[in-house]
Amino acid sequence: MREDDASWDEDVRLAVYRAFARHGRAPGAPELAAAAGGSLAVAKQALHRLAVARHLVLDECEHVVLAHPFAAKSLGFSVMGAHTLWWGGCAWDSFAIPHLVDAEPEVLVATRCPGCGQPHALVVNRSGPPEGRQVAHFPVPAARMWDDVLHTCANQRLFCCESCVDAWLADTGQSRGSVLDLVTLWRLARGWYAGRLERGYRRREPQDAVAYFAEAGLTGPFWAATAGV
């Protein structure tokens, strides 16, 4: 075992992300242990440090629930590639998967409008945004997305149009956030997770996140990131 258990963190992080990318699921206990020199206990310690650093989200049983853009359970989106089927963490994450996974440059993103229940299936690839009138609604500002990240992801959804957003907000009592058309959503997703499957990945600093959002056409107080993104 290494003298510093924290040095296993990157190996465990890569094991988690690569299992999701290749198989559409989190790694099992043997895979995690193998990434931590054969010790599941060391792997679990690494998972907790990674969760604190906001590289992933654990449930109460220490299972990985989210490793953005991948999810271990349904949060409203399925993402079907030629070889792999994923749960997408949210609208943002679902559009990001084909940009991140080299072997799957095109996917079918399926969901239902929360406002009216209409099913939607969109082909998302790297060449350009899909056509359509659908919009994504982001209710939680960037600076607060990690306050309750499961709630944030579960509510970043695709709607038929802004009228369906308004109907859903009236039904749920939630406040209106930021509404993105498909072009803006695709721009937001295409490079956000670049490098996440590679060794040495670092999360963006707040000023870098704000600059990235601006390049996607997203500015103003809602997209003023802090360490929370």
Side-chain angles (χ1 to χ4, degrees):
M1 182 178 296
R2 303 180 192 180
E3 293 182 359
D4 180 8
D5 286 348
S7 62
W8 292 111
D9 290 7
E10 183 66 353
D11 294 332
V12 172
R13 187 191 72 81
L14 286 172
V16 170
Y17 274 91
R18 289 175 178 175
F20 272 113
R22 293 169 181 166
H23 308 299
R25 59 162 178 79
E31 296 166 277
L32 287 171
S39 172
L40 183 58
V42 170
K44 288 186 175 182
Q45 291 167 6
L47 287 177
H48 282 280
R49 288 190 294 268
L50 290 166
V52 170
R54 296 177 172 173
H55 285 289
L56 46 82
V57 179
L58 302 178
D59 65 13
E60 62 279 2
C61 297
E62 300 182 312
H63 297 146
V64 178
V65 180
L66 285 170
H68 297 291
F70 311 110
K73 65 179 184 178
S74 175
L75 290 171
F77 294 87
S78 64
V79 182
M80 185 174 67
H83 308 288
T84 309
L85 179 66
W86 297 273
W87 295 121
C90 57
W92 181 354
D93 285 349
S94 299
F95 271 48
I97 288 175
H99 297 283
L100 180 63
V101 181
D102 287 342
E104 297 282 10
E106 182 173 280
V107 299
L108 182 68
V109 175
T111 188
R112 285 184 180 273
C113 173
C116 70
Q118 175 71 27
H120 295 284
L122 297 169
V123 175
V124 181
N125 57 43
R126 299 172 195 163
S127 61
E131 295 183 358
R133 296 178 57 248
Q134 294 91 341
V135 297
H137 178 251
F138 285 45
V140 181
R144 293 176 26 224
M145 287 180 178
W146 274 86
D147 290 357
D148 183 346
V149 69
L150 282 173
H151 169 82
T152 296
C153 289
N155 287 280
Q156 285 182 359
R157 301 292 299 276
L158 277 178
F159 293 78
C160 299
C161 58
E162 291 203 42
S163 294
C164 280
V165 175
D166 293 337
W168 180 76
L169 292 175
D171 287 343
T172 62
Q174 296 200 47
S175 300
R176 189 179 183 87
S178 182
V179 177
L180 287 62
D181 59 23
L182 295 182
V183 173
T184 305
L185 178 63
W186 184 85
R187 288 174 179 164
L188 173 65
R190 64 178 171 179
W192 180 252
Y193 296 116
R196 185 154 282 194
L197 298 179
E198 301 168 8
R199 186 169 296 279
Y201 172 82
R202 294 290 181 269
R203 290 168 53 84
R204 284 181 177 83
E205 295 296 329
Q207 64 271 21
D208 298 324
V210 170
Y212 180 91
F213 295 152
E215 288 180 2
L218 299 166
T219 58
F222 188 95
W223 295 98
T226 66
V229 177

